[in-house]
Amino acid sequence: MLDVRRLRLLRELARRGTIAAVAEALAFSPSAVSQQLGVLEKEAGLPLLERTGRRVRLTPAGEDLVRHAEAVLERLERAEADLAEARTGLAGALRVGSFPTATRAIVPAALITLARRHPRLEPMVCETDPAAVAHALRAGDLDVALVHEYDFVPAPREPGLTTEPLYGEAMYLAAPAAPAAPAAPAGTPEEAGRDQGAVLRTHAEAPWITATPGTLCHAMTVRACQAAGFTPRVRHQVDEFATVLALVAAGQGVAVVPQLGITGADRAVGLTRLLMERRTQLAFRSGAGAHPAVAAFGAALRAAVPAELASPRAEA
């Protein structure tokens, strides 16, 4: 009989490529991971792994078993959801991953609704960059998470995970306001023309403020500028949009900021709407969507989305 815990290790190895990476992600020692995978090979009765230098590659039998593992783990999630639904009331911890702007603008209202409807449920929020969510969900460190993607940075399909759309946001170019421009209420955006590239190229020689490398926000700004015909000259790398806007107001550069990030923008910041969008989804392990706690959190989130946010587009 194949052991489900060992199947989970094999699946993670297929995603991460090295035993060391699997060990680090799942809080095991590399020797323990190797030992458990060796036992799985004995259970299977044929080789599942072959070494190629410092990496480990799955044999055809190993790849086939990973596909079965995905189906087995999804069925287990559905079984847990059915059992939870059969219990009376929701209780216990719900580990939630979220990114900063959603944590500030959406999550608090959702938590208020959740506490009113299910007072024994204990949501535990951890700010997590969307790029790290898939591993955290598969490892069981999170139960549900908010993730996002941009027009220039579509999210890859992650095996073992399911996403549901929540909302879409407009994107804005934030630049120091022109001194001669007529006074406008603080943070009032201007509508963009039809040529987004032309808007961005206006600031091709300016210093840029981006998120830190490795984040989706950083990739979005760089790719949007490259699509407009130039590579931005990055001066500052900051992840918090309120700080980004403060730097723009101080004349330190220009930036691309999502709708939820422009709240409270200084009068010294000029905002021009772009034609791109950021879309936010709810992510969870495949099969867990019917779990009452996950479903309840999703319903509370949808009720908390501000009316001014758009319904997300089906395609980038």
Side-chain angles (χ1 to χ4, degrees):
M1 180 69 69
L2 298 175
D3 185 279
V4 171
R5 291 169 297 180
R6 296 182 187 119
L7 288 176
R8 195 184 299 275
L9 290 176
L10 186 67
R11 182 187 67 172
E12 287 303 308
L13 181 61
R15 294 294 302 164
R16 299 173 188 270
T18 67
I19 287 176
V22 174
E24 181 179 359
L26 301 183
F28 289 128
S29 68
S31 61
V33 173
S34 295
Q35 181 184 32
Q36 290 300 308
L37 290 174
V39 173
L40 181 62
E41 285 190 306
K42 292 180 180 178
E43 291 175 343
L46 72 169
L48 302 175
L49 311 171
E50 57 185 12
R51 292 194 175 274
T52 56
R54 300 181 63 181
R55 298 179 70 85
V56 177
R57 186 172 62 189
L58 272 64
T59 64
E63 292 175 351
D64 188 50
L65 187 54
V66 166
R67 287 190 287 271
H68 286 296
E70 294 286 3
V72 167
L73 293 170
E74 180 175 345
R75 291 295 299 181
L76 285 175
E77 290 288 348
R78 292 180 180 177
E80 289 186 14
D82 289 344
L83 290 173
E85 189 173 11
R87 301 185 192 110
T88 56
L90 294 181
L94 178 70
R95 296 159 298 180
V96 177
S98 180
F99 54 91
T101 48
T103 303
R104 174 184 54 79
I106 308 292
V107 172
L111 295 181
I112 291 173
T113 298
L114 204 61
R116 184 175 66 250
R117 295 176 179 172
H118 308 285
R120 296 172 58 210
L121 189 63
E122 185 182 2
M124 303 167 67
V125 178
C126 176
E127 284 196 349
T128 308
D129 187 88
V133 160
H135 290 330
L137 284 170
R138 281 195 294 262
D141 297 329
L142 296 175
D143 298 311
V144 64
L146 285 85
V147 296
H148 58 61
E149 65 175 4
Y150 295 93
D151 284 349
F152 288 96
V153 194
R157 183 186 178 281
E158 291 286 353
L161 301 186
T162 298
T163 60
E164 295 179 351
L166 285 175
Y167 60 86
E169 296 172 72
M171 300 294 295
Y172 293 87
L173 177 73
T188 300
E190 301 175 9
E191 290 299 319
R194 300 188 67 180
D195 190 347
Q196 174 173 287
V199 174
L200 295 174
R201 283 193 297 274
T202 301
H203 302 279
E205 300 302 320
W208 282 74
I209 305 164
T210 71
T212 52
T215 61
L216 300 181
C217 297
H218 176 270
M220 170 271 301
T221 297
V222 172
R223 293 181 189 179
C225 290
Q226 289 174 339
F230 68 97
T231 297
R233 178 170 58 88
V234 178
R235 174 180 289 178
H236 303 295
Q237 296 176 346
V238 178
D239 288 326
E240 185 186 50
F241 289 119
T243 305
V244 169
L245 292 176
L247 290 170
V248 173
Q252 290 295 299
V254 299
V256 177
V257 182
Q259 186 173 348
L260 288 179
I262 66 173
T263 304
D266 190 278
R267 188 180 296 273
V269 176
L271 297 167
T272 303
R273 182 168 180 171
L274 302 172
L275 300 180
M276 53 195 292
E277 184 181 76
R278 179 168 82 168
R279 293 171 296 282
T280 294
Q281 300 99 23
L282 188 67
F284 43 84
R285 289 181 293 277
S286 296
H291 193 289
V294 173
F297 182 67
L301 275 176
R302 290 182 178 85
V305 173
E308 63 269 19
L309 294 182
S311 297
R313 298 201 304 268
E315 298 180 356

